[in-house]
Amino acid sequence: MAVEWGEYLAVGVEQIDAQHREIFRQVNLFMEAMAQGSASTRVIEVLNFLVEYTVNHFHDEEGLMAESGYPRMEYHKKEHEKFCQEVMVLKGRIDVEGATKQNVLLTSQAMLHWLVQHILNTDKTLAEHMRSTRL
Protein backbone atom coordinates (compact mmCIF):
# COMPACT_ATOMS: atom_id res chain seq x y z
CA MET A 1 0.00 0.00 0.00
CA ALA A 2 2.15 2.84 -1.31
CA VAL A 3 1.54 6.38 -0.19
CA GLU A 4 2.03 8.80 -3.03
CA TRP A 5 3.72 12.17 -2.80
CA GLY A 6 1.37 14.88 -4.07
CA GLU A 7 2.02 18.43 -5.17
CA TYR A 8 -0.22 19.61 -2.34
CA LEU A 9 2.71 18.67 -0.11
CA ALA A 10 5.23 20.83 -1.99
CA VAL A 11 6.49 23.75 0.08
CA GLY A 12 8.18 25.50 -2.83
CA VAL A 13 11.76 25.12 -1.59
CA GLU A 14 13.34 22.47 -3.82
CA GLN A 15 15.86 21.20 -1.26
CA ILE A 16 13.11 20.56 1.28
CA ASP A 17 10.67 19.16 -1.30
CA ALA A 18 13.28 16.75 -2.69
CA GLN A 19 14.07 15.46 0.79
CA HIS A 20 10.39 15.08 1.62
CA ARG A 21 9.85 13.07 -1.59
CA GLU A 22 12.76 10.81 -0.60
CA ILE A 23 11.32 10.27 2.88
CA PHE A 24 8.01 9.21 1.31
CA ARG A 25 9.92 6.88 -1.04
CA GLN A 26 11.77 5.31 1.89
CA VAL A 27 8.57 4.81 3.92
CA ASN A 28 7.10 3.06 0.89
CA LEU A 29 10.22 0.85 0.60
CA PHE A 30 9.84 0.05 4.29
CA MET A 31 6.22 -1.05 3.83
CA GLU A 32 7.06 -2.88 0.59
CA ALA A 33 9.86 -4.86 2.24
CA MET A 34 7.44 -6.04 4.88
CA ALA A 35 4.64 -6.77 2.38
CA GLN A 36 6.98 -8.87 0.23
CA GLY A 37 7.92 -10.91 3.25
CA SER A 38 11.50 -9.70 3.11
CA ALA A 39 13.72 -10.83 5.90
CA SER A 40 13.39 -8.89 9.08
CA THR A 41 16.95 -7.65 8.56
CA ARG A 42 15.97 -5.96 5.26
CA VAL A 43 13.00 -4.24 6.91
CA ILE A 44 15.26 -3.04 9.72
CA GLU A 45 17.92 -1.86 7.22
CA VAL A 46 15.33 0.27 5.42
CA LEU A 47 14.01 1.61 8.74
CA ASN A 48 17.53 2.49 9.91
CA PHE A 49 18.22 4.33 6.65
CA LEU A 50 14.88 6.13 6.91
CA VAL A 51 15.56 7.25 10.48
CA GLU A 52 19.06 8.46 9.58
CA TYR A 53 17.83 10.26 6.46
CA THR A 54 15.06 11.96 8.44
CA VAL A 55 17.51 13.16 11.10
CA ASN A 56 19.76 14.57 8.35
CA HIS A 57 16.75 16.24 6.73
CA PHE A 58 15.83 17.88 10.03
CA HIS A 59 19.41 19.08 10.40
CA ASP A 60 19.30 20.61 6.91
CA GLU A 61 15.94 22.25 7.60
CA GLU A 62 17.21 23.69 10.87
CA GLY A 63 20.23 25.10 9.03
CA LEU A 64 17.90 26.84 6.58
CA MET A 65 15.89 28.19 9.52
CA ALA A 66 19.03 29.62 11.12
CA GLU A 67 20.21 31.14 7.82
CA SER A 68 16.90 32.87 7.23
CA GLY A 69 16.41 34.05 10.83
CA TYR A 70 13.21 32.06 11.15
CA PRO A 71 11.37 33.38 14.23
CA ARG A 72 9.64 30.05 14.99
CA MET A 73 12.83 28.02 14.88
CA GLU A 74 12.68 26.76 18.47
CA TYR A 75 9.10 25.55 18.07
CA HIS A 76 9.96 23.84 14.78
CA LYS A 77 13.04 22.18 16.29
CA LYS A 78 10.93 20.89 19.20
CA GLU A 79 8.57 19.25 16.70
CA HIS A 80 11.56 17.55 15.08
CA GLU A 81 12.85 16.36 18.45
CA LYS A 82 9.45 15.01 19.48
CA PHE A 83 9.12 13.12 16.20
CA CYS A 84 12.59 11.61 16.59
CA GLN A 85 11.72 10.43 20.10
CA GLU A 86 8.46 8.86 18.89
CA VAL A 87 10.18 7.09 16.00
CA MET A 88 12.90 5.76 18.30
CA VAL A 89 10.20 4.26 20.54
CA LEU A 90 8.60 2.59 17.50
CA LYS A 91 12.00 1.45 16.22
CA GLY A 92 12.80 0.05 19.67
CA ARG A 93 9.60 -1.93 19.54
CA ILE A 94 10.65 -3.41 16.19
CA ASP A 95 14.12 -4.14 17.57
CA VAL A 96 12.60 -6.06 20.49
CA GLU A 97 9.50 -7.67 18.94
CA GLY A 98 10.68 -7.94 15.35
CA ALA A 99 9.42 -6.48 12.09
CA THR A 100 5.91 -7.86 12.43
CA LYS A 101 3.24 -6.63 10.07
CA GLN A 102 1.58 -4.78 12.94
CA ASN A 103 4.81 -3.04 14.03
CA VAL A 104 5.75 -2.03 10.49
CA LEU A 105 2.25 -0.72 9.77
CA LEU A 106 2.11 1.19 13.04
CA THR A 107 5.53 2.74 12.41
CA SER A 108 4.89 3.67 8.78
CA GLN A 109 1.44 5.09 9.52
CA ALA A 110 2.77 7.17 12.40
CA MET A 111 5.62 8.49 10.27
CA LEU A 112 3.44 9.35 7.30
CA HIS A 113 0.72 10.96 9.40
CA TRP A 114 3.23 13.08 11.25
CA LEU A 115 5.11 13.99 8.09
CA VAL A 116 2.00 15.11 6.19
CA GLN A 117 0.77 17.17 9.15
CA HIS A 118 4.23 18.65 9.72
CA ILE A 119 4.61 19.62 6.05
CA LEU A 120 1.15 21.16 5.79
CA ASN A 121 1.17 22.97 9.12
CA THR A 122 4.81 23.75 9.90
CA ASP A 123 7.09 23.40 6.89
CA LYS A 124 4.84 25.48 4.64
CA THR A 125 5.11 28.34 7.14
CA LEU A 126 8.89 27.99 7.12
CA ALA A 127 8.96 28.00 3.32
CA GLU A 128 6.83 31.17 3.21
CA HIS A 129 9.28 32.83 5.56
CA MET A 130 12.24 31.70 3.46
CA ARG A 131 10.68 33.04 0.27
CA SER A 132 9.88 36.36 1.94
CA THR A 133 13.41 36.83 3.25
CA ARG A 134 14.91 36.24 -0.20
CA LEU A 135 13.11 39.25 -1.68
Side-chain angles (χ1 to χ4, degrees):
M1 170 177 91
V3 178
E4 297 297 321
W5 167 266
E7 280 304 311
Y8 74 100
L9 294 169
V11 299
V13 176
E14 184 50 35
Q15 178 183 356
I16 293 173
D17 286 336
Q19 290 177 344
H20 286 165
R21 284 189 295 271
E22 180 62 18
I23 292 169
F24 271 78
R25 191 177 83 75
Q26 291 297 323
V27 171
N28 284 324
L29 286 174
F30 177 62
M31 292 189 297
E32 186 179 298
M34 184 273 308
Q36 292 177 348
S38 295
S40 181
T41 54
R42 175 66 184 137
V43 173
I44 291 170
E45 282 173 10
V46 174
L47 178 58
N48 287 337
F49 177 83
L50 179 58
V51 168
E52 183 179 331
Y53 189 90
T54 302
V55 168
N56 289 334
H57 165 67
F58 289 165
H59 181 265
D60 290 349
E61 246 185 33
E62 291 166 10
L64 293 170
M65 284 186 255
E67 277 179 32
S68 68
Y70 187 50
R72 295 186 50 142
M73 183 173 174
E74 287 308 311
Y75 170 80
H76 201 130
K77 284 177 70 172
K78 283 185 174 135
E79 281 197 7
H80 289 169
E81 290 165 8
K82 183 178 178 197
F83 175 75
C84 287
Q85 291 169 352
E86 290 172 8
V87 168
M88 293 314 290
V89 167
L90 292 166
K91 183 183 175 313
R93 185 172 170 177
I94 289 173
D95 289 343
V96 170
E97 297 175 11
T100 65
K101 186 174 186 174
Q102 179 181 354
N103 285 343
V104 171
L105 253 124
L106 180 66
T107 301
S108 57
Q109 287 174 344
M111 292 182 84
L112 287 169
H113 174 76
W114 185 89
L115 184 60
V116 167
Q117 293 306 309
H118 182 74
I119 290 170
L120 294 176
N121 298 313
T122 307
D123 284 347
K124 286 201 177 219
T125 303
L126 167 61
E128 286 173 24
H129 168 78
M130 289 176 62
R131 284 192 299 276
S132 73
T133 58
R134 289 185 183 164
L135 298 175

mmCIF file of all heavy atoms in Angstrom, residues 13 16 60-73 76 125-135:
data_model
loop_
_atom_site.group_PDB
_atom_site.id
_atom_site.type_symbol
_atom_site.label_atom_id
_atom_site.label_comp_id
_atom_site.label_asym_id
_atom_site.label_seq_id
_atom_site.Cartn_x
_atom_site.Cartn_y
_atom_site.Cartn_z
ATOM 1 N N VAL A 13 10.321 25.015 -1.779
ATOM 2 C CA VAL A 13 11.765 25.121 -1.587
ATOM 3 C C VAL A 13 12.310 23.765 -2.035
ATOM 4 O O VAL A 13 12.078 22.746 -1.365
ATOM 5 C CB VAL A 13 12.141 25.427 -0.121
ATOM 6 C CG1 VAL A 13 13.648 25.430 0.061
ATOM 7 C CG2 VAL A 13 11.529 26.749 0.318
ATOM 8 N N ILE A 16 14.032 21.172 0.315
ATOM 9 C CA ILE A 16 13.107 20.560 1.279
ATOM 10 C C ILE A 16 12.169 19.602 0.570
ATOM 11 O O ILE A 16 11.952 18.472 1.022
ATOM 12 C CB ILE A 16 12.325 21.648 2.052
ATOM 13 C CG1 ILE A 16 13.282 22.447 2.945
ATOM 14 C CG2 ILE A 16 11.206 21.022 2.880
ATOM 15 C CD1 ILE A 16 12.646 23.644 3.620
ATOM 16 N N ASP A 60 19.271 19.688 8.050
ATOM 17 C CA ASP A 60 19.301 20.613 6.910
ATOM 18 C C ASP A 60 18.237 21.696 7.049
ATOM 19 O O ASP A 60 18.501 22.877 6.822
ATOM 20 C CB ASP A 60 19.093 19.863 5.591
ATOM 21 C CG ASP A 60 20.262 18.984 5.211
ATOM 22 O OD1 ASP A 60 21.341 19.086 5.849
ATOM 23 O OD2 ASP A 60 20.096 18.174 4.276
ATOM 24 N N GLU A 61 17.026 21.284 7.424
ATOM 25 C CA GLU A 61 15.936 22.248 7.599
ATOM 26 C C GLU A 61 16.290 23.262 8.677
ATOM 27 O O GLU A 61 16.042 24.456 8.522
ATOM 28 C CB GLU A 61 14.650 21.512 8.018
ATOM 29 C CG GLU A 61 13.571 21.562 7.007
ATOM 30 C CD GLU A 61 12.271 20.933 7.492
ATOM 31 O OE1 GLU A 61 11.925 21.000 8.703
ATOM 32 O OE2 GLU A 61 11.581 20.382 6.632
ATOM 33 N N GLU A 62 16.854 22.790 9.768
ATOM 34 C CA GLU A 62 17.212 23.685 10.866
ATOM 35 C C GLU A 62 18.321 24.643 10.449
ATOM 36 O O GLU A 62 18.348 25.792 10.884
ATOM 37 C CB GLU A 62 17.582 22.871 12.104
ATOM 38 C CG GLU A 62 16.353 22.180 12.685
ATOM 39 C CD GLU A 62 16.646 21.093 13.704
ATOM 40 O OE1 GLU A 62 17.816 20.955 14.133
ATOM 41 O OE2 GLU A 62 15.696 20.359 14.062
ATOM 42 N N GLY A 63 19.219 24.198 9.579
ATOM 43 C CA GLY A 63 20.230 25.097 9.028
ATOM 44 C C GLY A 63 19.597 26.198 8.192
ATOM 45 O O GLY A 63 19.998 27.369 8.283
ATOM 46 N N LEU A 64 18.608 25.840 7.388
ATOM 47 C CA LEU A 64 17.901 26.837 6.583
ATOM 48 C C LEU A 64 17.149 27.823 7.479
ATOM 49 O O LEU A 64 17.095 29.019 7.190
ATOM 50 C CB LEU A 64 16.935 26.154 5.617
ATOM 51 C CG LEU A 64 17.577 25.324 4.502
ATOM 52 C CD1 LEU A 64 16.525 24.505 3.756
ATOM 53 C CD2 LEU A 64 18.343 26.214 3.539
ATOM 54 N N MET A 65 16.596 27.314 8.579
ATOM 55 C CA MET A 65 15.894 28.193 9.518
ATOM 56 C C MET A 65 16.868 29.208 10.114
ATOM 57 O O MET A 65 16.555 30.398 10.197
ATOM 58 C CB MET A 65 15.264 27.379 10.652
ATOM 59 C CG MET A 65 14.025 26.632 10.275
ATOM 60 S SD MET A 65 13.277 25.864 11.741
ATOM 61 C CE MET A 65 13.724 24.165 11.473
ATOM 62 N N ALA A 66 18.033 28.728 10.519
ATOM 63 C CA ALA A 66 19.030 29.620 11.124
ATOM 64 C C ALA A 66 19.493 30.661 10.113
ATOM 65 O O ALA A 66 19.588 31.857 10.445
ATOM 66 C CB ALA A 66 20.211 28.812 11.647
ATOM 67 N N GLU A 67 19.760 30.223 8.878
ATOM 68 C CA GLU A 67 20.212 31.142 7.820
ATOM 69 C C GLU A 67 19.211 32.251 7.554
ATOM 70 O O GLU A 67 19.590 33.391 7.296
ATOM 71 C CB GLU A 67 20.417 30.390 6.501
ATOM 72 C CG GLU A 67 21.734 29.702 6.360
ATOM 73 C CD GLU A 67 21.822 28.967 5.031
ATOM 74 O OE1 GLU A 67 21.232 29.426 4.026
ATOM 75 O OE2 GLU A 67 22.473 27.913 5.017
ATOM 76 N N SER A 68 17.935 31.894 7.590
ATOM 77 C CA SER A 68 16.904 32.870 7.233
ATOM 78 C C SER A 68 16.377 33.649 8.432
ATOM 79 O O SER A 68 15.505 34.505 8.291
ATOM 80 C CB SER A 68 15.736 32.176 6.522
ATOM 81 O OG SER A 68 15.037 31.317 7.414
ATOM 82 N N GLY A 69 16.888 33.342 9.633
ATOM 83 C CA GLY A 69 16.415 34.045 10.827
ATOM 84 C C GLY A 69 14.965 33.715 11.147
ATOM 85 O O GLY A 69 14.209 34.577 11.579
ATOM 86 N N TYR A 70 14.599 32.470 10.956
ATOM 87 C CA TYR A 70 13.210 32.057 11.151
ATOM 88 C C TYR A 70 12.789 32.256 12.604
ATOM 89 O O TYR A 70 13.374 31.673 13.523
ATOM 90 C CB TYR A 70 13.057 30.590 10.754
ATOM 91 C CG TYR A 70 11.640 30.087 10.750
ATOM 92 C CD1 TYR A 70 10.626 30.775 10.089
ATOM 93 C CD2 TYR A 70 11.309 28.904 11.397
ATOM 94 C CE1 TYR A 70 9.335 30.297 10.076
ATOM 95 C CE2 TYR A 70 10.022 28.418 11.385
ATOM 96 C CZ TYR A 70 9.029 29.117 10.723
ATOM 97 O OH TYR A 70 7.741 28.633 10.716
ATOM 98 N N PRO A 71 11.748 33.064 12.856
ATOM 99 C CA PRO A 71 11.367 33.384 14.235
ATOM 100 C C PRO A 71 10.741 32.212 15.009
ATOM 101 O O PRO A 71 10.722 32.235 16.236
ATOM 102 C CB PRO A 71 10.371 34.529 14.083
ATOM 103 C CG PRO A 71 9.859 34.426 12.695
ATOM 104 C CD PRO A 71 10.955 33.809 11.879
ATOM 105 N N ARG A 72 10.260 31.196 14.309
ATOM 106 C CA ARG A 72 9.641 30.049 14.994
ATOM 107 C C ARG A 72 10.575 28.843 15.039
ATOM 108 O O ARG A 72 10.141 27.707 15.174
ATOM 109 C CB ARG A 72 8.338 29.688 14.280
ATOM 110 C CG ARG A 72 7.290 30.789 14.391
ATOM 111 C CD ARG A 72 5.988 30.347 13.815
ATOM 112 N NE ARG A 72 5.645 29.043 14.387
ATOM 113 C CZ ARG A 72 4.438 28.661 14.725
ATOM 114 N NH1 ARG A 72 3.441 29.465 14.562
ATOM 115 N NH2 ARG A 72 4.217 27.461 15.212
ATOM 116 N N MET A 73 11.854 29.098 14.950
ATOM 117 C CA MET A 73 12.833 28.021 14.876
ATOM 118 C C MET A 73 12.771 27.085 16.082
ATOM 119 O O MET A 73 12.803 25.857 15.924
ATOM 120 C CB MET A 73 14.241 28.587 14.722
ATOM 121 C CG MET A 73 15.305 27.529 14.576
ATOM 122 S SD MET A 73 16.890 28.287 14.190
ATOM 123 C CE MET A 73 17.936 26.867 14.254
ATOM 124 N N HIS A 76 9.775 24.789 15.868
ATOM 125 C CA HIS A 76 9.965 23.843 14.778
ATOM 126 C C HIS A 76 10.960 22.743 15.193
ATOM 127 O O HIS A 76 10.713 21.553 14.968
ATOM 128 C CB HIS A 76 10.475 24.603 13.548
ATOM 129 C CG HIS A 76 10.253 23.900 12.257
ATOM 130 N ND1 HIS A 76 9.674 24.515 11.179
ATOM 131 C CD2 HIS A 76 10.559 22.660 11.842
ATOM 132 C CE1 HIS A 76 9.627 23.675 10.164
ATOM 133 N NE2 HIS A 76 10.169 22.535 10.547
ATOM 134 N N THR A 125 4.877 27.041 6.504
ATOM 135 C CA THR A 125 5.114 28.343 7.141
ATOM 136 C C THR A 125 6.589 28.716 7.046
ATOM 137 O O THR A 125 6.927 29.866 6.749
ATOM 138 C CB THR A 125 4.663 28.299 8.615
ATOM 139 O OG1 THR A 125 3.288 27.928 8.658
ATOM 140 C CG2 THR A 125 4.840 29.648 9.285
ATOM 141 N N LEU A 126 7.456 27.749 7.270
ATOM 142 C CA LEU A 126 8.893 27.985 7.122
ATOM 143 C C LEU A 126 9.219 28.403 5.694
ATOM 144 O O LEU A 126 9.964 29.363 5.479
ATOM 145 C CB LEU A 126 9.690 26.728 7.489
ATOM 146 C CG LEU A 126 11.170 26.713 7.101
ATOM 147 C CD1 LEU A 126 11.927 27.843 7.783
ATOM 148 C CD2 LEU A 126 11.786 25.352 7.401
ATOM 149 N N ALA A 127 8.678 27.698 4.716
ATOM 150 C CA ALA A 127 8.962 27.996 3.317
ATOM 151 C C ALA A 127 8.482 29.399 2.943
ATOM 152 O O ALA A 127 9.168 30.137 2.222
ATOM 153 C CB ALA A 127 8.303 26.960 2.410
ATOM 154 N N GLU A 128 7.311 29.808 3.453
ATOM 155 C CA GLU A 128 6.827 31.168 3.205
ATOM 156 C C GLU A 128 7.820 32.186 3.749
ATOM 157 O O GLU A 128 8.121 33.180 3.106
ATOM 158 C CB GLU A 128 5.455 31.375 3.854
ATOM 159 C CG GLU A 128 4.319 30.696 3.142
ATOM 160 C CD GLU A 128 3.015 30.802 3.918
ATOM 161 O OE1 GLU A 128 2.858 31.750 4.736
ATOM 162 O OE2 GLU A 128 2.156 29.933 3.713
ATOM 163 N N HIS A 129 8.292 31.926 4.957
ATOM 164 C CA HIS A 129 9.277 32.828 5.563
ATOM 165 C C HIS A 129 10.549 32.895 4.709
ATOM 166 O O HIS A 129 11.077 33.976 4.440
ATOM 167 C CB HIS A 129 9.632 32.380 6.977
ATOM 168 C CG HIS A 129 10.825 33.084 7.550
ATOM 169 N ND1 HIS A 129 10.736 34.370 8.040
ATOM 170 C CD2 HIS A 129 12.112 32.699 7.661
ATOM 171 C CE1 HIS A 129 11.942 34.746 8.437
ATOM 172 N NE2 HIS A 129 12.793 33.750 8.218
ATOM 173 N N MET A 130 11.018 31.731 4.264
ATOM 174 C CA MET A 130 12.238 31.701 3.462
ATOM 175 C C MET A 130 12.063 32.473 2.153
ATOM 176 O O MET A 130 12.955 33.227 1.756
ATOM 177 C CB MET A 130 12.648 30.249 3.191
ATOM 178 C CG MET A 130 13.167 29.544 4.427
ATOM 179 S SD MET A 130 13.528 27.812 4.125
ATOM 180 C CE MET A 130 14.807 27.969 2.891
ATOM 181 N N ARG A 131 10.935 32.297 1.523
ATOM 182 C CA ARG A 131 10.684 33.045 0.270
ATOM 183 C C ARG A 131 10.620 34.548 0.539
ATOM 184 O O ARG A 131 11.124 35.340 -0.226
ATOM 185 C CB ARG A 131 9.410 32.534 -0.403
ATOM 186 C CG ARG A 131 9.603 31.207 -1.096
ATOM 187 C CD ARG A 131 8.423 30.861 -1.984
ATOM 188 N NE ARG A 131 7.173 30.745 -1.268
ATOM 189 C CZ ARG A 131 6.752 29.662 -0.624
ATOM 190 N NH1 ARG A 131 7.496 28.568 -0.621
ATOM 191 N NH2 ARG A 131 5.606 29.642 0.009
ATOM 192 N N SER A 132 10.013 34.933 1.648
ATOM 193 C CA SER A 132 9.876 36.358 1.937
ATOM 194 C C SER A 132 11.199 37.015 2.301
ATOM 195 O O SER A 132 11.388 38.206 2.053
ATOM 196 C CB SER A 132 8.853 36.590 3.063
ATOM 197 O OG SER A 132 9.379 36.191 4.315
ATOM 198 N N THR A 133 12.131 36.243 2.869
ATOM 199 C CA THR A 133 13.414 36.833 3.247
ATOM 200 C C THR A 133 14.381 36.890 2.067
ATOM 201 O O THR A 133 15.404 37.558 2.144
ATOM 202 C CB THR A 133 14.083 36.055 4.390
ATOM 203 O OG1 THR A 133 14.280 34.701 4.012
ATOM 204 C CG2 THR A 133 13.253 36.147 5.658
ATOM 205 N N ARG A 134 14.047 36.210 0.989
ATOM 206 C CA ARG A 134 14.912 36.238 -0.205
ATOM 207 C C ARG A 134 14.570 37.404 -1.122
ATOM 208 O O ARG A 134 15.262 37.637 -2.092
ATOM 209 C CB ARG A 134 14.790 34.932 -0.975
ATOM 210 C CG ARG A 134 15.438 33.785 -0.241
ATOM 211 C CD ARG A 134 15.411 32.540 -1.046
ATOM 212 N NE ARG A 134 15.981 31.466 -0.253
ATOM 213 C CZ ARG A 134 15.836 30.203 -0.530
ATOM 214 N NH1 ARG A 134 15.133 29.823 -1.569
ATOM 215 N NH2 ARG A 134 16.383 29.288 0.238
ATOM 216 N N LEU A 135 13.519 38.118 -0.832
ATOM 217 C CA LEU A 135 13.111 39.246 -1.681
ATOM 218 C C LEU A 135 13.977 40.461 -1.475
ATOM 219 O O LEU A 135 14.587 40.694 -0.524
ATOM 220 C CB LEU A 135 11.644 39.602 -1.421
ATOM 221 C CG LEU A 135 10.652 38.488 -1.752
ATOM 222 C CD1 LEU A 135 9.263 38.912 -1.347
ATOM 223 C CD2 LEU A 135 10.675 38.155 -3.234
#
